[in-house]
Amino acid sequence: MTHEPANTPSSSGHASSGSHVHLGDHADTFTLTIDDRQVTARVGQSILQVAREHGIEIPTLCHAQNETPVGVCRVCLVDAGGRVLNAACVMPCAE
């Protein structure tokens, strides 16, 4: 089930790769905006996973070298509306 909340406040942000991320409400799947594109994500997916599924590039080291993502290299930083930047490889898409 995909839905887009009508008047739900959502977080927004800017990825170091130039990606703009707006996180929305969710159930099993939900809609969010990356670089002004509406995309569908599944609960538990990282921002990086969703971006890649929709052809949106965010630079990484861990995924490029087939390593387990832990978010320490900070190459894939995104601003998801919080106080600090988050690593897209480990940051789940959620409110």
Side-chain angles (χ1 to χ4, degrees), residues 10-16 18-23 33-35 78-82 85:
S10 43
S11 303
S12 65
H14 178 73
S16 61
S19 296
H20 217 43
V21 179
H22 297 276
L23 302 177
T33 303
I34 302 176
D35 284 347
V78 295
D79 179 359
L85 298 177

Side-chain angles (χ1 to χ4, degrees), residues 10-68:
S10 43
S11 303
S12 65
H14 178 73
S16 61
S17 66
S19 296
H20 217 43
V21 179
H22 297 276
L23 302 177
D25 193 18
H26 65 275
D28 289 347
T29 62
F30 56 101
T31 301
L32 57 98
T33 303
I34 302 176
D35 284 347
D36 298 322
R37 289 178 48 194
Q38 293 287 320
V39 296
T40 301
R42 292 179 304 282
V43 172
Q45 281 190 297
S46 71
I47 293 172
L48 182 62
Q49 289 170 322
V50 173
R52 284 190 169 178
E53 282 184 3
H54 295 281
I56 301 167
E57 292 188 35
I58 297 176
T60 64
L61 286 179
C62 59
H63 282 75
Q65 297 175 0
N66 294 319
E67 298 291 330
T68 302

